[in-house]
């Protein structure tokens, strides 16, 4: 890829980016890249307990996301775009929210879910992927988002978009040197981790398989 100074990664929920691209982002951060994370939702419905309070869980998960970002060497605070967990849709308003963030951060590289992955069941992941690529287009073309121009946000064109969780990868990154940072970031999402040892085993297995 071309030189990277800033990277912006979008996930549907807290922990998505860390699981799918944490090692890559940690490697970039170690090289001095400004890495920023964004979540479409706060993951407030990510609990198997039917009595859980979504508002309370959202506060917990926001804190976990910040701890995970620090483990990767990414900037804090993490950007939260305010969508409802489990109800994310590819709306124009949310597309403009992505474009606004891209024009504000002005990244060289944008990362997000691959919305065209076969058998991708989670609707939030599909919507997040579409919003990421659609938002990049809205951010790069000066006539696409006049409201953003009125805010003083000039068009910005990232030179690369990387989609994670794909079943047709064409870019492989060796993250052996940053696997511990990735594991620490994933483990920071303690509300989602029942068995840390099993999680670490699975992550290391995924990494070794590549």
């Amino acid at each position: 890829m071309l030189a990277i100074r800033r990277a912006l990664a979008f996930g549907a929920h807290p922990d998505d980016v860390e699981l799918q691209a944490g090692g890559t982002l940690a490697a970039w951060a170690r090289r001095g890249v400004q890495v920023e994370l964004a979540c479409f939702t706060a993951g407030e419905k990510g609990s198997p307990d039917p009595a859980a309070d979504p508002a309370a869980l959202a506060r917990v998960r926001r804190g976990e996301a910040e701890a995970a970002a620090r483990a990767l060497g990414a900037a804090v605070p993490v950007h939260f775009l305010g969508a409802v967990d489990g109800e994310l849709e590819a709306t124009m308003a949310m597309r403009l929210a992505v474009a606004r963030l891209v024009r504000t951060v002005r990244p060289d590289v944008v990362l997000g879910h691959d919305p065209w992955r076969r058998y991708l069941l989670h609707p939030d992941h599909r919507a997040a992927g579409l919003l990421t690529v659609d938002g990049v287009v809205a951010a790069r073309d000066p006539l696409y988002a006049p409201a953003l121009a009125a805010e003083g946000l000039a068009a910005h064109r990232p030179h690369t978009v990387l989609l994670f969780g794909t079943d047709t990868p064409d870019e492989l990154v060796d993250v052996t040197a940053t696997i511990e940072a990735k594991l620490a970031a994933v483990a920071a999402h303690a509300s989602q981790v029942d068995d840390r040892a099993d999680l670490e085993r699975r992550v290391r297995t995924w990494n070794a398989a590549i």
Side-chain angles (χ1 to χ4, degrees):
M1 289 193 301
L2 300 175
I4 305 171
R5 295 165 299 172
R6 297 185 185 90
L8 175 60
F10 289 90
H13 316 95
D15 78 12
D16 285 336
V17 168
E18 294 87 323
L19 277 168
Q20 301 281 357
T24 297
L25 294 172
W28 290 349
R30 289 184 183 182
R31 290 181 0 218
V33 175
Q34 174 79 5
V35 174
E36 301 199 25
L37 309 182
C39 297
F40 284 98
T41 80
E44 67 272 15
K45 297 178 183 176
S47 172
D49 180 4
D53 176 10
L57 184 56
R59 289 192 292 272
V60 169
R61 299 204 67 185
R62 285 173 180 268
E64 292 173 347
E66 306 249 311
R70 292 188 183 94
L72 294 179
V76 291
V78 173
H79 304 283
F80 283 89
L81 300 186
V84 177
D85 190 7
E87 301 177 26
L88 181 61
E89 295 183 339
T91 64
M92 182 59 69
M94 193 58 66
R95 183 192 301 182
L96 290 178
V98 172
R100 178 179 289 106
L101 188 54
V102 171
R103 289 190 179 191
T104 299
V105 175
R106 310 190 77 76
D108 302 298
V109 178
V110 170
L111 300 88
H113 297 270
D114 181 356
W116 300 288
R117 177 180 178 177
R118 291 173 295 177
Y119 317 122
L120 178 57
L121 295 180
H122 203 308
D124 283 356
H125 290 188
R126 292 197 303 272
L130 288 172
L131 286 165
T132 299
V133 295
D134 291 353
V136 166
V137 172
R140 77 184 186 189
D141 292 331
L143 299 182
Y144 263 45
L148 300 184
E151 296 174 17
L153 295 173
H156 175 71
R157 179 187 291 263
H159 65 60
T160 302
V161 175
L162 297 176
L163 302 178
F164 50 70
T166 180
D167 53 11
T168 55
D170 57 9
E171 182 81 22
L172 299 179
V173 181
D174 183 356
V175 298
T176 303
T178 53
I179 191 69
E180 297 300 333
K182 173 172 182 165
L183 289 169
V186 173
H189 295 280
S191 67
Q192 307 300 299
V193 179
D194 294 324
D195 185 334
R196 179 168 178 171
D198 179 64
L199 176 64
E200 291 193 3
R201 179 191 59 77
R202 287 187 286 121
V203 171
R204 290 184 189 278
T205 299
W206 297 334
N207 184 59
I210 298 174

